[in-house]
Amino acid sequence: METPTPPEPIGFRYADLTPATDFLSILDDTLYRAVPEGWWVAVTDVVDSTGAIAAGRYRAVNFVGAAVIAALRNAFGRREMPFVFGGDGASVLVAPDGEEAAKTALAATVAWARDAMGLTLRAALVPVAAIRAAGHAVEVARYAPSPDVAYAMFMGGGLAFAERALKQGLYAIAPAPAGTQPDLTGLTCRFEPARARHGLILSILVVATEGADRAAARAAIADVVRLAAEAPARGHPLPPGGPALRWPPPGFSHEVRARGPLWGSLPLRRLHLLGATIVAHLIFRLGLRVGGFSAPRYLDELVANADFRKYDDGLRMTVDCDPDLAARIEARLEAAEAAGLVRFGLHRQAAALTTCITPVAALRDHVHFVDGEDGGYARAAQVLKAKEAARRAAGKGEEAAHRAAGNGEEAAHRAAGAHPGPESVRAPV
């Protein structure tokens, strides 16, 4: 019997969804709307982010992950799009009329990541229709950490399916010709790492175990959100007034590479950006107001708008907390994992990174992606995957041991004549 196709949402528009303002409420199914067939999921990740982290290049990895979002937003005239930043990649929903523009922007970004950043970015554009056909859904809600921005939250398993398809090479987007430059207007990386103020920066990744009781798994995840909120400032990893600034900024070389051609010359781009960043640094250092832009206001908005917790078929959080609270969070997760409810990965580090998209500095809708300085979400994902691999290996070992034990018992019984093998079985007479 075929599974009935869910009805198409009538007049689906992401921007029409009422945003939640309480982060815990993003676990409420009623906030989510199913994305209709005809839409696409653009999904990307940096290949061998583990090696890049080991080489001290996680800032570059973050920058490339955010570049995907910047390129797609700019390709569509900065219309409001549902996206999620995952540290070493991103996922973005693309409307039915955006397939070709999305392919062009993704191809350009893949080429730019390779040529300018020395990183291999893989990208796919997965049809929501294919996700549904595989038995999953893409359900989206909006969460507003401030009155000025809203971030997409996802349920339904569709994004996880799209990530698996990406890694299997399905729906792949080939790179554009060498030298192709995506429009990365607004993408910057000028702030110093924000040092932990309360002990450590904890990167948290939690997903429900397949087949687990939905309500119990959701309750365990909610417990983690509540525990993290016990930290000062609810665990916000950025200090009041924003992270520190210095000149030249730590992400200067990345930003030079993100700029479009200036007479085709990298040295000219570098010179131009040196001048622009020193002016910006002085404006922030002196707390100036220039036209419609106010440096103090921008920094307050940066902290308020920061994307440091999200839900995309799993919980991701970057939290500033003390070691005791980190241990309590880990203990709760270990209990939930032992009960078969969730799978998780954690990573502790000393600071948090901020990558920004600010197309128009005077406007309030600038977005800021926060991740751990020392691998963050990517390291947490590695921990999760390592535990899964160990669990699978242990399961195979147990299965082999059971088979060996069973074969040994059977042979012993045969030798004693207690249980003849199948070839000796006779029908009763």
Side-chain angles (χ1 to χ4, degrees):
M1 180 177 174
E2 293 186 2
T3 303
T5 301
E8 298 284 1
I10 298 172
F12 175 84
R13 289 184 70 248
Y14 171 70
D16 290 341
L17 300 182
T18 301
T21 55
D22 174 10
F23 184 73
L24 195 57
S25 69
I26 57 95
L27 296 173
D28 181 356
D29 289 330
T30 63
L31 290 179
Y32 289 79
R33 291 281 304 279
V35 177
E37 292 188 13
W39 284 65
W40 307 79
V41 177
V43 58
T44 66
D45 77 348
V46 172
V47 178
D48 191 25
S49 57
T50 303
I53 294 167
R57 299 199 67 210
Y58 198 53
R59 183 183 286 272
V61 170
N62 270 199
F63 197 72
V64 168
V68 173
I69 297 170
L72 285 169
R73 284 179 50 155
N74 290 332
F76 291 96
R78 296 202 292 272
R79 77 166 70 156
E80 188 167 8
M81 301 179 75
F83 60 79
V84 62
F85 170 75
D88 61 352
S91 300
V92 185
L93 281 186
V94 177
D97 64 350
E99 177 187 3
E100 292 307 317
K103 285 181 176 177
T104 300
L106 288 169
T109 309
V110 170
W112 168 82
R114 178 197 62 204
D115 300 339
M117 300 295 292
L119 293 170
T120 300
L121 179 72
R122 56 187 165 192
L125 195 60
V126 184
V128 170
I131 293 171
R132 279 192 180 181
H136 305 285
V138 180
E139 299 173 351
V140 64
R142 295 170 74 218
Y143 165 65
S146 82
D148 301 314
V149 298
Y151 294 102
M153 307 283 127
F154 292 94
M155 280 188 182
L159 261 61
F161 174 86
E163 289 175 7
R164 291 194 296 273
L166 168 74
K167 292 174 181 179
Q168 292 167 11
L170 304 175
Y171 310 105
I173 302 296
T180 303
Q181 177 78 24
D183 182 357
L184 300 179
T185 300
L187 180 64
T188 63
C189 189
R190 297 180 182 178
F191 291 94
E192 291 284 286
R195 311 303 297 179
R197 307 183 306 284
H198 308 292
L200 57 90
I201 299 294
L202 183 66
S203 298
I204 303 170
L205 174 60
V206 189
V207 296
T209 301
E210 187 174 355
D213 178 86
R214 183 180 176 86
R218 194 73 60 84
I221 292 172
D223 284 348
V224 173
V225 174
R226 292 190 190 96
L227 280 169
E230 292 181 14
R234 304 183 72 82
H236 202 308
L238 302 185
L245 281 162
R246 67 174 171 84
W247 190 88
F252 179 79
S253 63
H254 304 334
E255 196 172 339
V256 169
R257 290 168 170 79
R259 291 293 178 105
L262 188 66
W263 302 293
S265 168
L266 191 63
L268 280 175
R269 271 186 275 166
R270 184 178 289 109
L271 185 62
H272 179 267
L273 192 61
L274 278 170
T277 54
I278 195 168
V279 169
H281 180 76
L282 290 172
I283 289 171
F284 279 106
R285 184 74 177 266
L286 300 173
L288 301 178
R289 289 168 172 78
V290 180
F293 176 78
S294 163
R297 189 196 73 198
Y298 178 91
L299 291 173
D300 288 343
E301 291 165 356
L302 183 158
V303 176
N305 293 359
D307 175 38
F308 72 96
R309 49 188 184 175
K310 64 201 80 183
Y311 197 91
D312 59 321
D313 286 334
L315 177 70
R316 296 179 198 256
M317 302 181 75
T318 303
V319 177
D320 187 339
C321 64
D322 61 41
D324 177 66
L325 182 55
R328 289 168 58 204
I329 290 171
E330 185 166 22
R332 178 65 184 96
L333 285 168
E334 286 175 342
E337 189 172 63
L341 298 176
V342 305
R343 298 176 292 122
F344 76 95
L346 301 177
H347 183 62
R348 294 165 170 84
Q349 57 243 292
L353 292 178
T354 308
T355 306
C356 312
I357 300 179
T358 308
V360 181
L363 300 182
R364 297 172 181 263
D365 61 350
H366 40 101
V367 298
H368 307 274
F369 305 118
V370 182
D371 196 3
E373 177 193 35
D374 182 37
Y377 293 133
R379 290 266 200 196
Q382 289 168 21
V383 171
L384 190 156
K385 290 173 187 174
K387 289 195 297 183
E388 283 295 291
R391 193 176 294 116
R392 284 195 298 271
K396 288 178 181 177
E398 287 180 10
E399 184 180 343
H402 284 310
R403 280 201 304 269
N407 291 339
E409 286 180 12
E410 185 174 336
H413 282 295
R414 286 186 197 173
H419 180 62
E423 70 278 7
S424 302
V425 172
R426 296 287 186 266
V429 295

Short mmCIF file of all heavy atoms in Angstrom, two decimals, residues 319-379:
data_model
loop_
_atom_site.label_atom_id
_atom_site.label_comp_id
_atom_site.label_asym_id
_atom_site.label_seq_id
_atom_site.Cartn_x
_atom_site.Cartn_y
_atom_site.Cartn_z
N VAL A 319 27.90 27.10 23.69
CA VAL A 319 27.53 27.63 25.00
C VAL A 319 28.77 27.99 25.81
O VAL A 319 29.74 27.21 25.86
CB VAL A 319 26.69 26.58 25.77
CG1 VAL A 319 26.35 27.08 27.16
CG2 VAL A 319 25.41 26.25 25.00
N ASP A 320 28.73 29.14 26.45
CA ASP A 320 29.77 29.55 27.40
C ASP A 320 29.29 29.15 28.80
O ASP A 320 28.28 29.65 29.29
CB ASP A 320 29.96 31.07 27.32
CG ASP A 320 31.14 31.56 28.16
OD1 ASP A 320 31.55 30.84 29.09
OD2 ASP A 320 31.63 32.67 27.90
N CYS A 321 30.00 28.22 29.41
CA CYS A 321 29.56 27.73 30.72
C CYS A 321 30.77 27.30 31.55
O CYS A 321 31.89 27.25 31.05
CB CYS A 321 28.57 26.57 30.57
SG CYS A 321 29.27 25.09 29.80
N ASP A 322 30.53 26.95 32.81
CA ASP A 322 31.63 26.47 33.65
C ASP A 322 31.76 24.95 33.50
O ASP A 322 30.85 24.28 33.00
CB ASP A 322 31.45 26.90 35.10
CG ASP A 322 30.19 26.34 35.74
OD1 ASP A 322 29.86 25.16 35.49
OD2 ASP A 322 29.51 27.08 36.49
N PRO A 323 32.90 24.39 33.93
CA PRO A 323 33.11 22.94 33.77
C PRO A 323 32.05 22.09 34.46
O PRO A 323 31.70 21.01 33.98
CB PRO A 323 34.50 22.72 34.37
CG PRO A 323 35.19 24.03 34.22
CD PRO A 323 34.12 25.07 34.42
N ASP A 324 31.54 22.57 35.59
CA ASP A 324 30.53 21.80 36.32
C ASP A 324 29.25 21.67 35.49
O ASP A 324 28.67 20.57 35.39
CB ASP A 324 30.22 22.47 37.66
CG ASP A 324 29.13 21.73 38.42
OD1 ASP A 324 29.37 20.57 38.83
OD2 ASP A 324 28.03 22.30 38.59
N LEU A 325 28.80 22.77 34.90
CA LEU A 325 27.59 22.71 34.09
C LEU A 325 27.82 21.85 32.84
O LEU A 325 26.94 21.07 32.43
CB LEU A 325 27.13 24.11 33.69
CG LEU A 325 25.84 24.20 32.87
CD1 LEU A 325 24.69 23.49 33.58
CD2 LEU A 325 25.47 25.65 32.58
N ALA A 326 29.01 21.95 32.25
CA ALA A 326 29.32 21.11 31.09
C ALA A 326 29.24 19.63 31.48
O ALA A 326 28.73 18.80 30.71
CB ALA A 326 30.71 21.44 30.55
N ALA A 327 29.71 19.30 32.67
CA ALA A 327 29.67 17.91 33.14
C ALA A 327 28.23 17.46 33.37
O ALA A 327 27.86 16.31 33.07
CB ALA A 327 30.48 17.76 34.42
N ARG A 328 27.38 18.36 33.89
CA ARG A 328 25.97 18.01 34.10
C ARG A 328 25.26 17.79 32.77
O ARG A 328 24.43 16.88 32.62
CB ARG A 328 25.29 19.12 34.89
CG ARG A 328 25.71 19.18 36.36
CD ARG A 328 25.25 20.45 37.01
NE ARG A 328 23.80 20.59 36.93
CZ ARG A 328 23.15 21.77 36.99
NH1 ARG A 328 23.85 22.89 37.10
NH2 ARG A 328 21.84 21.80 36.94
N ILE A 329 25.57 18.63 31.77
CA ILE A 329 24.98 18.44 30.44
C ILE A 329 25.41 17.10 29.86
O ILE A 329 24.60 16.33 29.33
CB ILE A 329 25.39 19.60 29.51
CG1 ILE A 329 24.70 20.90 29.95
CG2 ILE A 329 25.05 19.28 28.06
CD1 ILE A 329 25.20 22.14 29.24
N GLU A 330 26.70 16.78 30.02
CA GLU A 330 27.21 15.52 29.47
C GLU A 330 26.57 14.33 30.19
O GLU A 330 26.21 13.32 29.55
CB GLU A 330 28.73 15.46 29.60
CG GLU A 330 29.33 14.24 28.95
CD GLU A 330 30.83 14.35 28.77
OE1 GLU A 330 31.46 15.15 29.49
OE2 GLU A 330 31.37 13.65 27.89
N ALA A 331 26.40 14.43 31.52
CA ALA A 331 25.79 13.33 32.27
C ALA A 331 24.35 13.09 31.83
O ALA A 331 23.91 11.94 31.70
CB ALA A 331 25.85 13.63 33.77
N ARG A 332 23.61 14.18 31.60
CA ARG A 332 22.21 14.02 31.14
C ARG A 332 22.18 13.36 29.77
O ARG A 332 21.33 12.50 29.50
CB ARG A 332 21.52 15.40 31.09
CG ARG A 332 20.07 15.32 30.57
CD ARG A 332 19.20 14.55 31.54
NE ARG A 332 17.83 14.37 31.06
CZ ARG A 332 17.39 13.28 30.42
NH1 ARG A 332 18.25 12.28 30.17
NH2 ARG A 332 16.14 13.18 30.05
N LEU A 333 23.09 13.75 28.91
CA LEU A 333 23.13 13.16 27.57
C LEU A 333 23.57 11.70 27.62
O LEU A 333 23.05 10.86 26.86
CB LEU A 333 24.06 13.98 26.68
CG LEU A 333 23.49 15.32 26.22
CD1 LEU A 333 24.57 16.19 25.58
CD2 LEU A 333 22.34 15.11 25.22
N GLU A 334 24.52 11.39 28.48
CA GLU A 334 24.95 9.99 28.59
C GLU A 334 23.82 9.10 29.07
O GLU A 334 23.65 7.97 28.58
CB GLU A 334 26.15 9.89 29.55
CG GLU A 334 27.44 10.40 28.94
CD GLU A 334 28.59 10.40 29.93
OE1 GLU A 334 28.32 10.34 31.16
OE2 GLU A 334 29.76 10.47 29.49
N ALA A 335 23.01 9.62 30.00
CA ALA A 335 21.87 8.84 30.48
C ALA A 335 20.85 8.63 29.36
O ALA A 335 20.31 7.53 29.19
CB ALA A 335 21.21 9.55 31.67
N ALA A 336 20.60 9.68 28.59
CA ALA A 336 19.64 9.56 27.48
C ALA A 336 20.18 8.64 26.39
O ALA A 336 19.42 7.89 25.77
CB ALA A 336 19.34 10.94 26.91
N GLU A 337 21.50 8.69 26.16
CA GLU A 337 22.10 7.80 25.16
C GLU A 337 22.03 6.35 25.62
O GLU A 337 21.73 5.44 24.83
CB GLU A 337 23.54 8.22 24.91
CG GLU A 337 24.19 7.51 23.73
CD GLU A 337 25.55 8.11 23.41
OE1 GLU A 337 26.45 8.04 24.28
OE2 GLU A 337 25.72 8.64 22.30
N ALA A 338 22.31 6.11 26.90
CA ALA A 338 22.24 4.75 27.44
C ALA A 338 20.83 4.19 27.36
O ALA A 338 20.64 2.97 27.20
CB ALA A 338 22.74 4.74 28.89
N ALA A 339 19.83 5.07 27.45
CA ALA A 339 18.43 4.65 27.35
C ALA A 339 17.97 4.48 25.90
O ALA A 339 16.81 4.15 25.65
CB ALA A 339 17.53 5.67 28.05
N GLY A 340 18.89 4.73 24.95
CA GLY A 340 18.54 4.56 23.54
C GLY A 340 17.72 5.68 22.97
O GLY A 340 17.06 5.50 21.93
N LEU A 341 17.77 6.87 23.60
CA LEU A 341 16.93 7.98 23.15
C LEU A 341 17.65 8.92 22.20
O LEU A 341 17.04 9.42 21.24
CB LEU A 341 16.44 8.78 24.37
CG LEU A 341 15.57 8.03 25.36
CD1 LEU A 341 15.24 8.92 26.56
CD2 LEU A 341 14.28 7.54 24.69
N VAL A 342 18.93 9.20 22.46
CA VAL A 342 19.66 10.18 21.65
C VAL A 342 21.07 9.67 21.36
O VAL A 342 21.57 8.74 22.00
CB VAL A 342 19.75 11.56 22.34
CG1 VAL A 342 18.38 12.10 22.72
CG2 VAL A 342 20.68 11.51 23.56
N ARG A 343 21.69 10.31 20.39
CA ARG A 343 23.12 10.18 20.12
C ARG A 343 23.70 11.59 20.21
O ARG A 343 23.02 12.56 19.84
CB ARG A 343 23.36 9.58 18.74
CG ARG A 343 22.79 8.17 18.58
CD ARG A 343 22.97 7.65 17.19
NE ARG A 343 22.16 8.36 16.22
CZ ARG A 343 22.63 9.00 15.16
NH1 ARG A 343 23.94 9.08 14.93
NH2 ARG A 343 21.83 9.61 14.33
N PHE A 344 24.92 11.73 20.69
CA PHE A 344 25.43 13.10 20.88
C PHE A 344 26.94 13.14 20.74
O PHE A 344 27.64 12.14 20.85
CB PHE A 344 25.01 13.64 22.25
CG PHE A 344 25.81 13.09 23.41
CD1 PHE A 344 26.91 13.78 23.92
CD2 PHE A 344 25.47 11.88 24.01
CE1 PHE A 344 27.65 13.28 24.98
CE2 PHE A 344 26.19 11.36 25.07
CZ PHE A 344 27.29 12.07 25.56
N GLY A 345 27.43 14.37 20.50
CA GLY A 345 28.86 14.66 20.53
C GLY A 345 29.06 16.01 21.20
O GLY A 345 28.25 16.93 21.00
N LEU A 346 30.10 16.11 22.01
CA LEU A 346 30.46 17.37 22.67
C LEU A 346 31.91 17.70 22.36
O LEU A 346 32.72 16.81 22.13
CB LEU A 346 30.29 17.27 24.19
CG LEU A 346 28.91 16.92 24.76
CD1 LEU A 346 29.01 16.81 26.29
CD2 LEU A 346 27.88 17.96 24.37
N HIS A 347 32.22 19.00 22.38
CA HIS A 347 33.63 19.40 22.26
C HIS A 347 33.84 20.66 23.11
O HIS A 347 33.09 21.63 23.01
CB HIS A 347 34.00 19.68 20.82
CG HIS A 347 35.45 20.03 20.65
ND1 HIS A 347 36.47 19.16 20.98
CD2 HIS A 347 36.06 21.18 20.22
CE1 HIS A 347 37.64 19.74 20.74
NE2 HIS A 347 37.42 20.96 20.29
N ARG A 348 34.87 20.60 23.95
CA ARG A 348 35.21 21.73 24.82
C ARG A 348 36.39 22.50 24.22
O ARG A 348 37.35 21.89 23.75
CB ARG A 348 35.57 21.24 26.22
CG ARG A 348 34.40 20.60 26.98
CD ARG A 348 34.91 19.82 28.19
NE ARG A 348 33.85 19.38 29.08
CZ ARG A 348 33.12 18.28 28.91
NH1 ARG A 348 33.34 17.49 27.85
NH2 ARG A 348 32.18 17.95 29.78
N GLN A 349 36.32 23.83 24.27
CA GLN A 349 37.40 24.67 23.78
C GLN A 349 37.41 25.98 24.54
O GLN A 349 36.53 26.22 25.39
CB GLN A 349 37.26 24.92 22.28
CG GLN A 349 35.95 25.55 21.85
CD GLN A 349 35.15 24.63 20.94
OE1 GLN A 349 35.57 24.38 19.84
NE2 GLN A 349 34.00 24.16 21.40
N ALA A 350 38.37 26.84 24.25
CA ALA A 350 38.58 28.03 25.06
C ALA A 350 37.89 29.28 24.51
O ALA A 350 37.79 30.29 25.21
CB ALA A 350 40.08 28.32 25.19
N ALA A 351 37.43 29.25 23.24
CA ALA A 351 36.89 30.48 22.65
C ALA A 351 35.89 30.13 21.55
O ALA A 351 35.79 28.97 21.11
CB ALA A 351 38.02 31.34 22.07
N ALA A 352 35.16 31.14 21.11
CA ALA A 352 34.17 30.99 20.05
C ALA A 352 34.53 31.91 18.88
O ALA A 352 35.05 33.01 19.09
CB ALA A 352 32.77 31.33 20.56
N LEU A 353 34.25 31.45 17.67
CA LEU A 353 34.46 32.23 16.45
C LEU A 353 33.16 32.84 15.99
O LEU A 353 32.09 32.25 16.16
CB LEU A 353 35.00 31.34 15.33
CG LEU A 353 36.41 30.77 15.47
CD1 LEU A 353 36.72 29.88 14.27
CD2 LEU A 353 37.43 31.89 15.57
N THR A 354 33.25 34.01 15.35
CA THR A 354 32.08 34.66 14.78
C THR A 354 32.34 34.97 13.31
O THR A 354 33.34 35.60 12.97
CB THR A 354 31.76 35.98 15.52
OG1 THR A 354 31.70 35.74 16.92
CG2 THR A 354 30.44 36.56 15.06
N THR A 355 31.44 34.51 12.44
CA THR A 355 31.49 34.81 11.02
C THR A 355 30.22 35.58 10.66
O THR A 355 29.13 35.16 11.04
CB THR A 355 31.59 33.53 10.18
OG1 THR A 355 32.70 32.75 10.65
CG2 THR A 355 31.79 33.86 8.71
N CYS A 356 30.37 36.69 9.95
CA CYS A 356 29.27 37.65 9.79
C CYS A 356 28.84 37.80 8.33
O CYS A 356 29.67 37.71 7.42
CB CYS A 356 29.68 39.02 10.32
SG CYS A 356 30.45 38.97 11.97
N ILE A 357 27.56 38.05 8.14
CA ILE A 357 27.03 38.48 6.85
C ILE A 357 26.30 39.80 7.09
O ILE A 357 25.24 39.83 7.72
CB ILE A 357 26.09 37.44 6.21
CG1 ILE A 357 26.85 36.12 5.98
CG2 ILE A 357 25.53 37.96 4.90
CD1 ILE A 357 25.99 35.02 5.37
N THR A 358 26.90 40.88 6.61
CA THR A 358 26.36 42.22 6.81
C THR A 358 26.31 42.93 5.45
O THR A 358 27.22 43.69 5.11
CB THR A 358 27.23 43.03 7.79
OG1 THR A 358 27.41 42.28 8.99
CG2 THR A 358 26.58 44.37 8.14
N PRO A 359 25.27 42.70 4.66
CA PRO A 359 25.22 43.32 3.33
C PRO A 359 25.15 44.84 3.39
O PRO A 359 25.80 45.53 2.61
CB PRO A 359 23.94 42.74 2.71
CG PRO A 359 23.69 41.48 3.48
CD PRO A 359 24.17 41.75 4.87
N VAL A 360 24.36 45.39 4.35
CA VAL A 360 24.24 46.84 4.51
C VAL A 360 24.42 47.15 5.99
O VAL A 360 23.56 46.83 6.81
CB VAL A 360 22.86 47.34 4.02
CG1 VAL A 360 22.78 48.86 4.18
CG2 VAL A 360 22.62 46.94 2.57
N ALA A 361 25.54 47.76 6.33
CA ALA A 361 25.89 47.93 7.74
C ALA A 361 24.89 48.77 8.52
O ALA A 361 24.72 48.58 9.72
CB ALA A 361 27.28 48.55 7.85
N ALA A 362 24.21 49.71 7.85
CA ALA A 362 23.29 50.59 8.55
C ALA A 362 21.97 49.90 8.89
O ALA A 362 21.21 50.40 9.72
CB ALA A 362 23.01 51.84 7.71
N LEU A 363 21.69 48.76 8.24
CA LEU A 363 20.46 48.03 8.54
C LEU A 363 20.69 47.09 9.72
O LEU A 363 21.82 46.74 10.06
CB LEU A 363 19.99 47.24 7.31
CG LEU A 363 19.68 48.09 6.07
CD1 LEU A 363 19.18 47.20 4.93
CD2 LEU A 363 18.64 49.17 6.38
N ARG A 364 19.58 46.65 10.32
CA ARG A 364 19.68 45.87 11.55
C ARG A 364 19.63 44.36 11.33
O ARG A 364 19.72 43.58 12.28
CB ARG A 364 18.53 46.26 12.50
CG ARG A 364 18.58 47.71 12.96
CD ARG A 364 17.31 48.09 13.72
NE ARG A 364 17.32 49.47 14.15
CZ ARG A 364 17.68 49.87 15.38
NH1 ARG A 364 18.08 48.98 16.27
NH2 ARG A 364 17.66 51.15 15.70
N ASP A 365 19.50 43.92 10.08
CA ASP A 365 19.26 42.50 9.81
C ASP A 365 20.53 41.71 9.53
O ASP A 365 20.50 40.68 8.87
CB ASP A 365 18.27 42.34 8.65
CG ASP A 365 18.79 42.94 7.35
OD1 ASP A 365 19.82 43.64 7.39
OD2 ASP A 365 18.17 42.71 6.30
N HIS A 366 21.67 42.17 10.03
CA HIS A 366 22.91 41.44 9.83
C HIS A 366 22.90 40.16 10.67
O HIS A 366 22.37 40.14 11.79
CB HIS A 366 24.13 42.31 10.18
CG HIS A 366 23.95 43.16 11.40
ND1 HIS A 366 24.48 42.82 12.62
CD2 HIS A 366 23.30 44.35 11.59
CE1 HIS A 366 24.18 43.75 13.51
NE2 HIS A 366 23.46 44.70 12.91
N VAL A 367 23.48 39.08 10.12
CA VAL A 367 23.46 37.79 10.82
C VAL A 367 24.89 37.38 11.16
O VAL A 367 25.85 37.72 10.47
CB VAL A 367 22.78 36.70 9.97
CG1 VAL A 367 21.33 37.06 9.70
CG2 VAL A 367 23.50 36.45 8.66
N HIS A 368 25.00 36.62 12.26
CA HIS A 368 26.32 36.28 12.81
C HIS A 368 26.30 34.83 13.27
O HIS A 368 25.53 34.46 14.16
CB HIS A 368 26.68 37.22 13.95
CG HIS A 368 26.57 38.66 13.57
ND1 HIS A 368 27.60 39.35 12.96
CD2 HIS A 368 25.53 39.53 13.65
CE1 HIS A 368 27.20 40.58 12.69
NE2 HIS A 368 25.95 40.72 13.10
N PHE A 369 27.17 34.02 12.68
CA PHE A 369 27.23 32.60 12.97
C PHE A 369 28.34 32.34 13.98
O PHE A 369 29.49 32.73 13.77
CB PHE A 369 27.50 31.80 11.70
CG PHE A 369 26.50 32.09 10.60
CD1 PHE A 369 26.91 32.63 9.40
CD2 PHE A 369 25.16 31.82 10.79
CE1 PHE A 369 26.01 32.91 8.39
CE2 PHE A 369 24.23 32.09 9.79
CZ PHE A 369 24.66 32.63 8.59
N VAL A 370 27.99 31.67 15.08
CA VAL A 370 28.94 31.44 16.17
C VAL A 370 29.25 29.94 16.24
O VAL A 370 28.34 29.11 16.20
CB VAL A 370 28.38 31.93 17.51
CG1 VAL A 370 29.40 31.73 18.63
CG2 VAL A 370 27.99 33.40 17.42
N ASP A 371 30.51 29.63 16.35
CA ASP A 371 30.97 28.24 16.43
C ASP A 371 32.18 28.20 17.35
O ASP A 371 32.78 29.23 17.64
CB ASP A 371 31.34 27.74 15.02
CG ASP A 371 31.46 26.23 14.92
OD1 ASP A 371 31.21 25.54 15.93
OD2 ASP A 371 31.82 25.74 13.83
N GLY A 372 32.54 27.02 17.81
CA GLY A 372 33.71 26.89 18.65
C GLY A 372 34.99 27.15 17.87
O GLY A 372 35.09 26.81 16.69
N GLU A 373 35.97 27.74 18.53
CA GLU A 373 37.22 28.10 17.86
C GLU A 373 38.02 26.88 17.42
O GLU A 373 38.65 26.87 16.36
CB GLU A 373 38.08 28.96 18.79
CG GLU A 373 39.43 29.33 18.21
CD GLU A 373 40.38 29.91 19.25
OE1 GLU A 373 40.33 29.46 20.43
OE2 GLU A 373 41.17 30.78 18.89
N ASP A 374 37.98 25.82 18.22
CA ASP A 374 38.83 24.66 17.97
C ASP A 374 38.03 23.51 17.35
O ASP A 374 38.04 22.39 17.85
CB ASP A 374 39.50 24.21 19.27
CG ASP A 374 40.43 23.02 19.07
OD1 ASP A 374 41.10 22.98 18.03
OD2 ASP A 374 40.47 22.14 19.96
N GLY A 375 37.30 23.80 16.29
CA GLY A 375 36.58 22.73 15.60
C GLY A 375 35.10 22.68 15.88
O GLY A 375 34.34 22.17 15.07
N GLY A 376 34.66 23.18 17.04
CA GLY A 376 33.25 23.35 17.32
C GLY A 376 32.34 22.23 16.89
O GLY A 376 32.50 21.07 17.30
N TYR A 377 31.36 22.57 16.06
CA TYR A 377 30.38 21.59 15.62
C TYR A 377 31.02 20.44 14.86
O TYR A 377 30.58 19.29 14.98
CB TYR A 377 29.33 22.27 14.72
CG TYR A 377 28.45 23.26 15.43
CD1 TYR A 377 28.20 24.51 14.87
CD2 TYR A 377 27.86 22.96 16.64
CE1 TYR A 377 27.38 25.44 15.52
CE2 TYR A 377 27.05 23.87 17.30
CZ TYR A 377 26.81 25.11 16.73
OH TYR A 377 26.00 26.01 17.37
N ALA A 378 32.05 20.72 14.07
CA ALA A 378 32.70 19.65 13.31
C ALA A 378 33.35 18.64 14.25
O ALA A 378 33.26 17.43 14.05
CB ALA A 378 33.74 20.24 12.36
N ARG A 379 33.99 19.12 15.32
CA ARG A 379 34.60 18.21 16.29
C ARG A 379 33.53 17.42 17.04
O ARG A 379 33.70 16.22 17.31
CB ARG A 379 35.42 19.01 17.30
CG ARG A 379 36.67 19.63 16.73
CD ARG A 379 37.87 18.74 16.95
NE ARG A 379 39.09 19.52 16.84
CZ ARG A 379 40.28 19.00 16.67
NH1 ARG A 379 40.42 17.68 16.58
NH2 ARG A 379 41.35 19.75 16.57
#
